Amino acid sequence: MAHVDALSRNPVGVVMLVAQKDLVESMQQEDDSIRATINQLNDEISKGNLKGLANDYVVESGLLFRKVNGENKVVVPRQCRWSLVQSFHDNNGHVNYIIRRTTV
């Protein structure tokens, strides 16, 4: 099962996720709109208002997430969207294709 061995020995994905989390967190803090949303959300929660922004957003581990269909989706600032997509593609390639092909 060479494909399993290769996947289990590749720590790059984990390292990239940590680096990307740090990048997104710092970019969120630099984005005026996102920073204002985080501040307003924290203010509403501290006052016990769970109906305002808390209906649509949550802050976890320093990151702002938007609630979409019961899932939390990270809010990615516009200025780093393309670099994240490009970085993920360049470093991970077409992982779904590789996994699907080796399991058939």
Side-chain angles (χ1 to χ4, degrees):
M1 298 191 44
H3 65 283
V4 173
D5 189 45
L7 291 173
S8 67
R9 293 181 186 213
N10 186 0
V12 174
V14 174
V15 172
M16 289 305 300
L17 286 175
V18 171
Q20 290 170 350
K21 184 229 180 253
D22 291 343
L23 171 65
V24 172
E25 186 175 0
S26 67
M27 295 300 281
Q28 280 188 350
Q29 290 301 318
E30 291 177 19
D31 186 284
D32 293 336
S33 175
I34 292 174
R35 194 174 60 247
T37 301
I38 292 171
N39 291 338
Q40 184 178 349
L41 177 62
N42 288 334
D43 186 49
E44 288 180 6
I45 290 171
S46 70
K47 292 179 180 176
N49 180 2
L50 302 178
K51 292 185 178 184
L53 288 176
N55 281 332
D56 298 317
Y57 295 95
V58 65
V59 176
E60 294 179 357
S61 302
L63 288 175
L64 180 66
F65 291 85
R66 183 166 186 163
K67 298 176 185 178
V68 179
N69 298 325
E71 292 184 55
N72 293 338
K73 306 286 185 177
V74 68
V75 176
V76 179
R78 288 191 185 279
Q79 65 267 31
C80 70
R81 287 179 187 169
W82 177 246
S83 65
L84 284 176
V85 169
Q86 188 174 22
S87 173
F88 185 80
H89 181 271
D90 291 349
N91 292 307
N92 298 306
H94 298 278
V95 175
N96 290 335
Y97 173 74
I98 294 169
I99 293 172
R100 197 175 318 117
R101 183 170 181 191
T102 58
T103 57
V104 173

